[in-house]
Amino acid sequence: MDAVDVGAALQSVRAARPDGAPIYIILDDRSAHTGADIRCWAKKNQVELCFTPAYASWVNPIEAHFGPLRQFGLANSHHRSHPAQTQALHRYLHWRNANARPPDVLVAQRKERARIRSEKGIRWGGHPSPPRHKGRPTVEPIGFGRE
């Protein structure tokens, strides 16, 4: 994707919002995104370009949606053609949008899960915190039959 493609994409986004309201677009620091012509066009058209730091794609909120999209739309699939694959992706996106939970519900669920993990002493890896012993730490063998 070069600067011409980026410019065309930005123009299509701006056209989708003809009321002139400001638009914020998150981009990485790729040279095609940072050119003077792109920045000048964005400034004239009330498009705010928000750049993620180098090597920090995880900062972009859209990245969280790519994993589920790959898992539910592409994983273990053998689509007959690209249009069939596109239809499968659109079906997933339609389902995802129809079943989206309100942000306040998601925040409440995250807080509750964090509270439960804290009470059980479960770390982010999913395992309970090991008991703290004074002196030399002991190592528990991992094997079958362990509960």
Side-chain angles (χ1 to χ4, degrees):
M1 181 180 274
D2 61 7
V4 174
D5 295 329
V6 172
L10 292 175
Q11 288 174 355
S12 71
V13 170
R14 178 76 268 172
R17 203 56 209 271
D19 60 357
I23 295 175
Y24 300 89
I25 298 181
I26 300 171
L27 301 164
D28 60 18
D29 62 346
R30 187 175 171 175
S31 63
H33 300 155
T34 60
D37 52 342
I38 296 293
R39 289 177 186 255
C40 182
W41 180 90
K43 189 173 184 177
K44 287 180 186 174
N45 291 280
Q46 283 195 298
V47 174
E48 180 76 29
L49 302 176
C50 307
F51 295 101
T52 60
Y55 305 105
S57 62
W58 53 270
V59 175
N60 189 339
I62 195 66
E63 294 290 334
H65 297 281
F66 291 144
L69 183 64
R70 275 192 301 273
Q71 180 66 34
F72 296 112
L74 300 174
N76 299 318
S77 62
H78 301 284
H79 300 290
R80 300 181 313 279
S81 62
H82 285 177
Q85 181 180 22
T86 301
Q87 288 176 344
L89 293 172
H90 283 213
R91 278 193 305 274
Y92 167 73
L93 292 172
H94 178 72
W95 175 87
R96 172 70 177 87
N97 291 336
N99 293 287
R101 291 174 282 175
D104 55 336
V105 171
L106 294 174
V107 169
Q109 288 174 335
R110 283 187 200 111
K111 285 182 180 178
E112 181 62 13
R113 284 194 301 268
R115 184 188 65 75
I116 291 169
R117 277 195 307 272
S118 176
E119 284 180 2
K120 292 182 176 182
I122 297 176
R123 296 181 295 187
W124 279 102
H127 304 291
S129 298
R132 296 180 185 246
H133 297 287
K134 290 184 179 180
R136 194 172 124 208
T138 58
V139 178
E140 244 180 77
I142 299 175
F144 294 103
R146 184 173 174 217
E147 292 185 37

